[in-house]
Each structure stands twice: as C-alpha cells, then as structure tokens.
Amino acid sequence: MIGLLLVTHGRLAQEFISAMEHVVGAQAKVEVIAGANLPMLIKLASVRQTATLAGAVAQAQEAGRKYINVASQLLAGEAVR
C-alpha cells in the first residue's frame, strides 16, 4: 500500500483527510502530500492499495488537474479542459 503524507499550513491537512474519508471511508496510515486538492486525495485513496507508485501519482495528478477551473471562465461557460 502506498502511504500518503499531507503537508499544509495549520490544520488544513487534517481537514483534507476528514473530507477525503467522508467520501472514500477511513484510511489506514494516511499521513501527508504537497500541492494537493481534494479530488487528488480521493483518487490516491482509491488506488493506493492496487496501483504502482508511478501509476497512483499519474492518476492523482490527472484527477487534481481535471477539477481546477478559473471561476470567472467557468461561470462564463469558457472553462478550459
């Protein structure tokens, strides 16, 4: 199993873990990642028992990028994918 390490300011890491576990269930040994968003963490939690490290990283990066939008563009119907 691939371990997770979240490094953030203040209690943000704990809040990310709480939100992730709300979606995918309790995680053993969830410890920390830098430059993360919730979709990225959910993907990692979903694949960390079966994927290779390289595969998990690639899938997490894709999930993280997929859900990044510029709000003004999204609201104007111009979101870039």
Side-chain angles (χ1 to χ4, degrees), residues 3-79:
L4 303 177
L5 175 64
L6 297 172
V7 179
T8 66
H9 297 283
R11 293 188 36 82
L12 185 56
Q14 184 56 49
E15 296 304 324
F16 265 133
I17 291 169
S18 295
M20 175 183 64
E21 288 183 335
H22 178 75
V23 175
V24 297
Q27 298 291 302
K29 302 179 182 177
V30 174
E31 297 168 10
V32 187
I33 264 184
N37 61 25
L38 189 56
M40 176 186 238
L41 295 176
I42 290 169
K43 178 55 75 174
L44 280 171
S46 300
V47 303
R48 71 191 198 121
Q49 291 184 339
T50 57
T52 65
L53 180 57
V57 167
Q59 291 179 62
Q61 185 177 33
E62 177 61 27
R65 286 181 177 159
K66 180 178 179 182
Y67 293 99
I68 294 173
N69 288 295
V70 176
S72 59
Q73 292 175 353
L74 183 63
L75 293 171
E78 304 169 2

